Amino acid sequence: MLALRLTRSSHPAVQLRRLLVAVASAGTGFLLLCTLGYAMGHPDSPAAAALRLGWCATPLAATVYFAVAVARTDPATKPRPGLSAIGLGPGRLMAISATTTALACTLGSMLALLFFLHLRGDLTGMPFDGAAAEFLASDQPLPLPAALTLLALVPVIASVSVALVLRPRDLRPASEKGPARSYGRFGVQGRPGSRETFGAYGRFGAHLRAGARGGGPEAEPAEQPAQAEQLEATSDTAPGDHPDPSRPAAPREAPRGLPWGIAVLAAGLAVEAYASRAKDGGGLSLPGGLADGPASVLAGWVLTAIGLALAGPGLTHLCGRLLQSVGPGALRLLAGRVLMEEATRIGRPLGVVCAVASGGFAMTALYDTDAPALGPLTTLGLLLVTGCTVATLLTAALEAKHARADTTAALLRLGAPATKLRSAAALRAGALLALFLPLTLFVAELAALPLAGR
C-alpha cells in the first residue's frame, strides 16, 4: 500500500518515466507472446521458435536496463533524514522501489496480454481481416500458464535487478570502519588484523619504549613515539579527507574498466573476423531480411557491445581530461571536471547507446534490398531496443543534473552567468559526440565486414 501511495503522489515527470517503463514492458511482453504463438502454429520447427525466443532477449535486457535507470532516479525512494525513525530505512526504501518497478512492469504485461488476445480474436472479432492469424495461432487455444510465465519474466527480472542495484551498502571509507580483526588459535583470542612491520622498530624512537620498560636511562622520552605517530598520521592525511568549503573537491579517480572494455571489444571483433573465414555451416538467420551468417557472428556482436559498455566510463573520463589539457580556461575546466565526475554515471549508458547504434548501422548496411520489408515484430524489437537505450541515457543525464544541483546553485550565487553554464553543457555534449561518433562508425564498419562478403 505504501508503494501505491508513493506512486500515486509522485511528480508528473516521475509518472511519465514509470509510464515509459510500462510501455517498454508491454512491447517486450507482446514480443514474447508472439513467440509463443509462432511456436504453437509451427510445432514442426522448434529450432525457429527457439531462435525467435532468443532474439527477444535483447529487448528484454534493454527494458530491464531502462527500468533500473528509472528506479535510480525516483525521488520517492531516496534516503532522507528522519525516514529511518518511522521505519523507512535503506532496506525498506529498496523494497518499495522494487515493488514500484514490479507494478509498472506488471501493468505493461497485462496491456500486452489484452492486445495479444484482441489480435487473436479472443475478446472481440478478428481485427485487420485476420492478417495476424498466422503468427498468433488464433485457431488454437492459448495455454494460459505458458503465457503468464512469459509475461512474468519482465516484472520479476526488473524488480530483482532493482533490488540488487539499490541494496543498502556501507559507504563509509575504510579508515572509519575500523581495523579488521584476526583471531588466534581456535578463534579464542582476537587482535587487530594489521601487524607491525619490520621497519617499525627503528622509526620514531620505537626502541626507546623498550628502554622505558626496562627502567634504563632512556625512560624519559617514552611519550615521543605516540606524538611522532600522531604527527605522521596528520602529515599523511590526504587533502580530500578534510574538505575545505572554499576549495572545489578533486574529481574522482578514473574508472578502471577501460582496459577490460578495449580487450573485450578487440575479442569481439576478432571473433567476427574468424567467423567470416570459417567455411563450415552453422548458419544463423538474422531477422527482417538481413544477411545470414554463422552463429559465432552473434557472439562477436555481443562481445563488441559488452566491450563498448565497459569502455564507456573510461572514455568519458578521458574526454573530460582532454578538455582540460593545454591551458584550459574556466569554460573548459568546468566542462572537463563535470565529465570526469560523472564518467561512471553517464559513460556506461553512452557506451550501450554506441553499441546499439553500431549494431543498427551494421544491420542497415547488410540489409538485402531484394528481400521483403522489415516485419512488424522486427520493427517493434528495434524500436524497443533503441528507445530504451536512448531513454536510459537521458535518464542518466537527468540524474547527473540533479546530483550537481547544489554545485550549480553555488556557482550562480557566486555570480557565474547562466549562459556560461549552458555553454559548458554544450561543450560537454560536443566533446562526447566528437569522441563517440567516429568510434561508433568505426566499430560498425568492422562489425559489418564479416557478413558483407558472404
Side-chain angles (χ1 to χ4, degrees), residues 97-322:
S97 182
T99 305
T100 304
T101 303
L103 290 175
C105 294
T106 303
L107 175 61
S109 298
M110 293 299 102
L111 292 177
L113 179 60
L114 291 177
F115 187 66
F116 182 77
L117 294 177
H118 173 67
L119 290 181
R120 281 173 49 91
D122 295 339
L123 301 180
T124 57
M126 182 69 66
F128 306 113
D129 296 331
E134 180 181 358
F135 60 90
L136 297 183
S138 59
D139 56 341
Q140 302 181 20
L142 180 66
L144 191 59
L148 294 180
T149 301
L150 290 176
L151 290 176
L153 288 178
V154 179
V156 171
I157 297 178
S159 58
V160 171
S161 301
V162 169
L164 290 177
V165 171
L166 301 182
R167 67 186 185 276
R169 298 183 179 88
D170 192 0
L171 300 178
R172 294 179 302 169
S175 58
E176 297 181 4
K177 295 180 182 179
R181 301 190 64 86
S182 60
Y183 297 89
R185 186 173 299 174
F186 304 109
V188 175
Q189 192 175 7
R191 61 183 182 274
S194 58
R195 297 183 178 182
E196 198 173 79
T197 59
F198 176 78
Y201 176 80
R203 287 201 304 264
F204 305 113
H207 59 283
L208 300 179
R209 191 180 293 113
R213 292 175 182 174
E218 299 175 347
E220 294 181 358
E223 297 180 357
Q224 293 182 0
Q227 298 176 358
E229 291 176 1
Q230 184 177 3
L231 290 175
E232 181 191 19
T234 305
S235 61
D236 291 341
T237 302
D241 295 341
H242 303 282
D244 187 0
S246 61
R247 182 177 55 186
R252 299 177 181 177
E253 60 179 3
R256 300 179 180 179
L258 182 57
W260 288 103
I262 295 176
V264 175
L265 177 61
L269 295 176
V271 169
E272 294 176 12
Y274 177 78
S276 65
R277 298 176 179 270
K279 301 299 183 181
D280 52 350
L284 180 66
S285 177
L286 302 183
L290 302 177
D292 296 340
S296 54
V297 173
L298 178 60
W301 282 3
V302 171
L303 289 177
T304 302
I306 295 176
L308 285 174
L310 291 176
L315 292 176
T316 305
H317 191 277
L318 178 63
C319 186
R321 185 174 293 276
L322 291 177

Side-chain angles (χ1 to χ4, degrees), residues 421-439:
L421 300 180
R422 288 192 291 267
S423 300
L427 182 59
R428 292 195 302 270
L432 292 176
L433 189 64
L435 176 63
F436 281 92
L437 182 59
L439 176 64

Side-chain angles (χ1 to χ4, degrees), residues 341-358:
E341 182 69 20
E342 304 294 338
T344 303
R345 183 180 284 116
I346 298 179
R348 186 161 288 113
L350 187 57
V352 174
V353 169
C354 290
V356 173
S358 62

